[in-house]
Amino acid sequence: MRNFDGDSDPGETQEWLDALDASVRAGGKQRGLYLLKKLEEQAQHLGIIAHVQPYSAYRNTIPLEEQGAYPGDLDVEERITSIMRWNALAMVVRANQAYGDLGGHIASYASAAEIFEVGFNHFFRAGNATQGADLVFFQPHSAPGVYARAFLEGRLREEQLANYRQEVGGRGLSSYPHPWLMPEFWQFPTGSMGIGPISAIYQARFMRYVEHRGIASMGDRHVWGVFGDGEMDEPESIAALTLASREKLDNLTFIINCNLQRLDGPVRGNGQIIQELESLFIGAGWNVIKVLWGSDWDPLFARDTHHVLLRQLAATVDGQYQTLGANDGAYNQSHFFGLDPELRALVAHMTLGEIDALKRGGHDFRKLYAALRAARAHRDGPTVVLAKTKKGYGMGGVGESRMTSHQQKKLDLDALKVFRDRFGLALTDDALAEMRFYALPENSRELAYLRERRAALGGHLPVRQDAAAPVGIPPLDGYARFALEAAEHEMSTTTAVVRLIGNLLKDPALGPRVVPIVADEARTFGMANLFRQIGIYSPVGQLYEPEDAASMLRYREAKDGQLLEEGITEAGALSSWVAAATAYSVHGVAMLPFYIYYSMFGFQRVGDLIWAAADQRSRGFLLGATAGRTTLGGEGLQHQDGSSHLVASTIPNCRAYDPAFAYELAVIVDHGARQMMERQDDVFYYITVMNENYPQPSLPAGAADDIVSGMYRLQSTAVPGEAAAARLLGSGAILREVVAAAAMLRDDWQVTSEVWSVTSFSELAREAREVERANRLQPASSPRKSHVEGCLAGTAPIIAATDYVRAYPQLIASYVGGRFVALGTDGFGRSDTRAALRGFFENDRRHVVVATLHALSRQGSLPAATVAAAVERYGIDAAAVAPWTH
Ligand SMILES: Cc1ncc(C[n+]2csc(CCOP(=O)(O)OP(=O)(O)O)c2C)c(N)n1
Ligand SMILES: [Mg+2]
């Protein structure tokens, strides 16, 4: 005989349960846990189970007995929170009433207000004399709540709130946290979902790195991240969870606002996102604390001796929870408690109003406080607090747990009155109608409390600092002599940059601040020597005898290791880079990260992280290695990069270069290092380096400044004093093809040419754009001339060849004199030799010659027959289809 839950022998079951009860009564909780562990082991030996369920019952993790007293004044905190809610709401509604299309969100902060306030009143610490501030990642579209608080604290003026989402002209507030646009306020850009969670983990990890390397002490600074439950679907959100537990990051807490909804509807309508996240985080090794039910549920659970309530909660899917949340007490009574007679009896003493008012845990200060306190006290691993809330909490019929809650941006007067009454706000009907912001009177208890709490926690948050002592860069001709005076020595620019980094690492002042980062490609780029030289960072050192212990290049892990070997995660490595690149601001210690990676897996794969890095004013080097679409020989379609420079050119504070020679590279690295570490400009550098070995010339006298500006003349076959017939521009990997083409033009066709090495089309274009604009807007001033205009005046045709798509050299096309022809690598990459690929993409020396002759024939300097002769002479298949079509 089986009963309803499959129990074939209820008597025996009861004996086991009684035995467990008796043991816990006699030996306490620990004894109970021990017995369960033993039973589980035995069950595994017997092969009954592989593992136990990785989630717990649908209730709070912290039992009432362990909750502890609340240290704050609940009444005052509730009143303050209500005011925050109002101001945040008013900010969004006003912006949309006045301008219609400015957007903004109400329902998200409405669900997160208690989470934020518990953090602000009791946990999020600002920096003080002895240690830096906690790091707090705020859910981006709850920014109005953070502004509302800053307004009450007197940090933001009413005018700024009134100009929410109106940033042009510098009056208003950013939609989301943007350090670029509010550099004294926001620290971390979180607007793109997923970037906050992965950044928080790597920031917490970098704090350990900095400490283990003896660079700065972190005390008990903590990283807090408030994220959405929908946001956890982003791959980046969960990509680094195991890193956090593996490295025992107990300085890290995620608080996930589980309002069960995202933008369109429920996060898991037919499931339970909280249970799913619990399994995920437990599996990843995190400490999980669920905060599901508010204090008024405690008596119900206490009387739920047969677990009917718990069973019903476990059986209710999120779509249903949302409907329950959107409806009143009567609905909840009939559609939830009424489903089982025992359950109905449990709430028989409650009025419908009381049932309606039953709170979810994420709206209960006491429950949240207990969870965050436990999170901060937890040792040897990170904690996630899963807080169950209601989206649009308090918005009533227009937005509470509605499918459309997320998009609700306008409320009519009746809805505002409901909101006011719901939160007991002292606002007249006129104040409501005008959406007046609510400022706390100077002598109010609330304001005093607010100030007291923040003073106790060290001051205001969020605050972004940018004071860090500059770090001197050693003289270029010391650490880069091998590159400046290469004297035709053969090497690739990848080898050269690794050597530069190796030399900078040896500098006593700068060396310790250098952070080399790889995503499992150190050997690919010839960096294996760094394993031994500086060690690979590991918080536990090296617990094994490396297989290659006897080797000069042995794989050495160390607690003070300097190299960050991130494994195959470009997103993780980039996040580490950001942590290092923002250390000047987050920790007041300037670091100089070099993240070197396959260039195709940079802007294309983690471009959004790079965009966020730009937003947070990162300073450091990104090195796109083995770059270009034809230098990477056999690698093929998904590895060969022909586009990264185009994307890099769209990022305002990214300085991107495609150098051909080791000396160009050295000059650029030196300039960048000084700009970022000595002058402390908020820029970062993207430099592509190649794996092609060739003889490296020495730095020509006087070329250094022009290398930084973006182009310089390498050679000319014209008679001195006379203009060349054509100007050839070459960049990076293709410069040598262009040099060869100049010789062919001279020898085969008696055409003179100049060859220019273009280290950066994007830098040339940036300056030219700026000059063009200044000349346009200030026509009365004497016109300026950009570097590229100075270099490329005149009318001789210009042929520009690169290993990137044609749109990259075309960035300068409108600023030059003469016809402009671009050769590049539009199309899919494919496996073959470099020579075959350059033939295929039509950017080799032969095509440079043909393009030059064609440009000259178009201007009437040569007969068209010469072009045809060249096509034939060089064996070019004129009938081949264009490379970008197949
Ligand atoms: C990468 C990315 N994709 C989409 C969005 C647009 N977006 C902003 S908020 C949001 C829903 C967020 O849901 P959730 O994380 O559950 O937060 P909630 O508002 O429910 O607290 C979406 C889709 C975004 N900001 N970033
Ligand atoms: Mg949500």
Side-chain angles (χ1 to χ4, degrees):
M1 260 293 274
R2 285 172 184 274
N3 75 359
F4 74 95
D5 68 354
D7 191 345
S8 59
D9 189 347
E12 186 189 37
T13 308
Q14 198 55 47
E15 274 174 36
W16 280 70
L17 296 178
D18 290 346
L20 183 63
D21 280 359
S23 297
V24 172
R25 263 198 309 278
K29 257 187 174 179
Q30 285 310 319
R31 179 66 191 151
L33 277 175
Y34 180 81
L35 287 174
L36 283 178
K37 205 174 108 219
K38 282 287 159 194
L39 268 180
E40 188 190 331
E41 278 171 21
Q42 187 62 14
Q44 283 178 0
H45 284 143
L46 293 172
I48 310 173
I49 52 166
H51 47 72
V52 287
Q53 289 169 335
Y55 56 85
S56 60
Y58 204 81
R59 68 172 167 213
N60 296 341
T61 304
I62 300 177
L64 184 59
E65 312 82 78
E66 289 174 20
Q67 188 173 302
Y70 192 70
D73 182 328
L74 282 167
D75 282 348
V76 176
E77 289 187 20
E78 254 156 38
R79 283 203 297 280
I80 295 172
T81 309
S82 298
I83 296 167
M84 307 267 182
R85 287 177 183 288
W86 167 258
N87 284 339
L89 175 146
M91 204 180 314
V92 177
V93 176
R94 264 167 75 155
N96 285 283
Q97 265 176 4
Y99 302 98
D101 59 353
L102 286 173
H105 306 82
I106 300 170
S108 300
Y109 178 68
S111 70
E114 284 83 6
I115 297 174
F116 278 36
E117 282 306 300
V118 166
F120 276 122
N121 283 320
H122 302 285
F123 292 96
F124 303 162
R125 284 169 309 186
N128 58 30
T130 52
Q131 76 174 36
D134 283 358
L135 284 56
V136 188
F137 289 77
F138 294 100
Q139 193 184 20
H141 47 294
S142 290
V146 181
Y147 295 141
R149 172 168 257 275
F151 170 66
L152 288 190
E153 290 174 353
R155 299 178 65 202
L156 294 178
R157 286 168 288 112
E158 180 162 350
E159 187 210 352
Q160 290 174 288
L161 262 57
N163 285 306
Y164 167 64
R165 288 194 173 223
Q166 296 147 70
E167 297 182 279
V168 173
R171 298 168 303 163
L173 303 173
S174 300
S175 49
Y176 307 117
H178 290 309
W180 188 263
L181 295 166
M182 291 178 66
E184 282 151 26
F185 196 87
W186 294 116
Q187 273 188 303
F188 306 112
T190 51
S192 175
M193 312 260 96
I195 285 182
I198 194 168
S199 303
I201 293 174
Y202 280 90
Q203 285 283 4
R205 190 312 195 83
F206 192 72
M207 286 161 73
R208 290 283 155 82
Y209 169 90
V210 165
E211 196 156 59
H212 287 160
R213 290 201 39 231
I215 288 178
S217 157
M218 292 292 138
D220 64 350
R221 292 173 72 192
H222 203 83
V223 180
W224 306 92
V226 184
F227 308 117
D229 47 358
E231 179 170 15
M232 296 315 289
D233 278 340
E234 288 286 359
E236 290 86 353
S237 297
I238 58 174
L241 296 185
T242 53
L243 170 90
S245 54
R246 193 161 62 244
E247 304 215 352
K248 296 191 172 30
L249 300 181
D250 53 21
N251 58 345
L252 172 68
T253 299
F254 276 13
I255 307 160
I256 302 185
N257 174 13
C258 297
N259 55 25
L260 313 186
Q261 289 177 243
R262 41 178 158 75
L263 194 155
D264 283 342
V267 181
R268 294 287 184 274
N270 295 315
Q272 294 179 321
I273 186 62
I274 292 173
Q275 301 298 85
E276 185 181 324
L277 289 175
E278 182 180 26
S279 325
L280 175 74
F281 277 89
I282 286 182
W286 285 51
N287 174 41
V288 179
I289 302 177
K290 293 197 291 196
V291 182
L292 307 194
W293 307 111
S295 299
D296 36 14
W297 288 80
D298 286 333
L300 301 183
F301 283 114
R303 290 172 34 238
D304 183 32
T305 41
H306 294 128
H307 301 322
V308 274
L309 175 57
L310 218 45
R311 263 202 300 275
Q312 195 55 47
L313 294 172
T316 304
V317 293
D318 287 355
Q320 194 60 33
Y321 274 121
Q322 185 189 333
T323 305
L324 291 167
N327 284 287
D328 61 8
Y331 185 93
N332 276 263
Q333 192 198 42
S334 59
H335 287 76
F336 182 79
F337 294 107
L339 296 178
D340 179 293
E342 210 176 322
L343 199 53
R344 183 190 292 272
L346 215 53
V347 293
H349 64 291
M350 295 173 75
T351 64
L352 292 181
E354 285 168 341
I355 291 178
D356 192 40
L358 282 170
K359 267 189 204 166
R360 293 184 179 173
H363 297 301
D364 186 321
F365 289 127
R366 284 173 286 202
K367 301 290 179 194
L368 286 168
Y369 178 84
L372 268 59
R373 188 190 51 199
R376 207 179 50 200
H378 182 73
R379 284 293 152 262
D380 289 337
T383 294
V384 60
V385 175
L386 301 173
K388 184 176 169 105
T389 61
K390 266 192 198 178
K391 192 134 179 172
Y393 184 61
M395 287 170 72
V398 292
E400 186 157 325
S401 292
R402 302 287 153 159
M403 281 298 173
T404 52
S405 295
H406 193 86
Q407 299 296 78
Q408 191 59 256
K409 305 178 196 314
K410 294 183 184 169
L411 272 70
D412 62 21
L413 192 58
D414 287 341
L416 294 176
K417 283 182 183 163
V418 172
F419 188 88
R420 172 191 63 189
D421 299 342
R422 162 76 181 76
F423 291 107
L425 289 157
L427 288 164
T428 62
D429 285 357
D430 283 352
L432 276 191
E434 287 171 27
M435 305 290 311
R436 256 180 245 153
F437 296 121
Y438 191 118
L440 286 168
E442 193 48 45
N443 57 0
S444 64
R445 167 90 184 101
E446 286 84 359
L447 191 56
Y449 186 85
L450 205 74
R451 288 180 177 156
E452 256 167 51
R453 290 311 313 150
R454 284 317 308 169
L457 291 161
H460 298 307
L461 271 186
V463 172
R464 183 179 173 280
Q465 321 255 9
D466 65 358
V471 180
I473 305 298
L476 172 65
D477 58 3
Y479 72 88
R481 177 155 310 200
F482 73 93
L484 303 180
E485 296 171 16
E488 305 303 319
H489 182 72
E490 265 203 22
M491 72 184 120
S492 71
T493 45
T494 296
T495 304
V497 84
V498 169
R499 236 176 119 177
L500 285 176
I501 296 170
N503 289 350
L504 288 174
L505 279 164
K506 290 177 192 146
D507 183 72
L510 179 68
R513 304 299 183 88
V514 171
V515 184
I517 304 169
V518 291
D520 201 30
E521 298 284 1
R523 293 186 198 279
T524 313
F525 306 137
M527 297 170 76
N529 61 319
L530 288 186
F531 295 161
R532 196 181 58 101
Q533 183 185 329
I534 56 172
I536 298 163
Y537 172 71
S538 159
V540 294
Q542 192 159 37
L543 306 176
Y544 58 95
E545 169 87 5
E547 173 278 325
D548 58 355
S551 149
M552 283 292 287
L553 299 178
R554 67 179 172 273
Y555 197 82
R556 184 172 77 85
E557 300 194 56
K559 194 166 172 180
D560 63 353
Q562 193 164 354
L563 175 73
L564 285 170
E565 162 63 90
E566 301 295 7
I568 311 168
T569 165
E570 282 76 14
L574 207 283
S575 301
S576 261
W577 181 82
V578 168
T582 56
Y584 74 92
S585 156
V586 178
H587 308 302
V589 180
M591 306 290 284
L592 188 62
F594 289 86
Y595 168 35
I596 181 164
Y597 55 90
Y598 258 127
S599 78
M600 190 59 159
F601 305 139
F603 284 87
Q604 172 149 311
R605 178 147 193 145
V606 290
D608 197 31
L609 281 160
I610 300 178
W611 186 249
D615 187 347
Q616 62 197 299
R617 299 167 176 266
S618 296
R619 300 174 188 164
F621 288 98
L622 294 176
L623 300 171
T626 58
R629 194 157 265 159
T630 68
T631 44
L632 199 46
E635 285 291 343
L637 184 151
Q638 287 183 340
H639 282 63
Q640 292 167 345
D641 166 32
S643 52
S644 64
H645 272 291
L646 198 55
V647 185
S649 76
T650 63
I651 301 183
N653 50 346
C654 175
R655 301 280 165 268
Y657 289 88
D658 182 29
F661 295 129
Y663 66 76
E664 295 176 352
L665 174 75
V667 166
I668 293 161
V669 166
D670 187 73
H671 180 81
R674 282 175 211 285
Q675 188 178 9
M676 295 184 285
M677 300 297 277
E678 292 180 349
R679 298 213 325 256
Q680 305 199 321
D681 288 349
D682 290 340
V683 295
F684 67 99
Y685 277 67
Y686 174 57
I687 306 177
T688 40
V689 288
M690 283 81 68
N691 66 343
E692 189 171 352
N693 281 316
Y694 44 77
Q696 297 284 347
S698 300
L699 173 67
D705 286 350
D706 290 348
I707 288 172
V708 172
S709 298
M711 72 187 294
Y712 64 99
R713 197 169 69 181
L714 195 65
Q715 64 172 60
S716 174
T717 55
V719 178
E722 279 181 24
R727 281 85 60 87
L728 310 183
L729 276 44
S731 183
I734 300 303
L735 176 62
R736 292 171 70 252
E737 292 297 320
V738 172
V739 171
M744 288 158 72
L745 281 167
R746 180 196 59 206
D747 299 342
D748 298 350
W749 311 98
Q750 293 71 54
V751 169
T752 60
S753 63
E754 290 175 349
V755 174
W756 294 76
S757 174
V758 180
T759 50
S760 177
F761 284 100
S762 49
E763 282 304 295
L764 292 175
R766 186 191 312 277
E767 194 227 358
R769 220 162 27 229
E770 174 59 31
V771 168
E772 182 185 58
R773 174 178 181 274
N775 290 343
R776 181 172 63 240
L777 298 181
Q778 289 140 32
S781 311
S782 56
R784 282 163 52 200
K785 200 181 244 188
S786 65
H787 184 62
V788 65
E789 286 171 303
C791 294
L792 298 176
T795 56
I798 296 161
I799 287 75
T802 80
D803 220 10
Y804 294 86
V805 291
R806 285 162 176 77
Y808 176 53
Q810 279 166 349
L811 287 171
I812 65 164
S814 67
Y815 305 111
V816 302
R819 184 174 172 70
F820 191 92
V821 181
L823 299 178
T825 56
D826 301 70
F828 284 124
R830 57 203 59 212
S831 324
D832 215 311
T833 62
R834 290 187 186 115
L837 288 169
R838 288 167 190 170
F840 172 78
F841 283 110
E842 303 174 356
N843 65 346
D844 66 6
R845 57 194 70 182
R846 300 170 310 155
H847 285 91
V848 174
V849 171
V850 171
T852 308
L853 297 177
H854 180 241
L856 289 170
S857 86
R858 277 192 54 139
Q859 70 176 32
S861 315
L862 278 175
T866 311
V867 186
V871 169
E872 186 170 342
R873 174 169 182 165
Y874 299 133
I876 292 170
D877 177 5
V881 292
W884 51 87
T885 59
H886 64 112

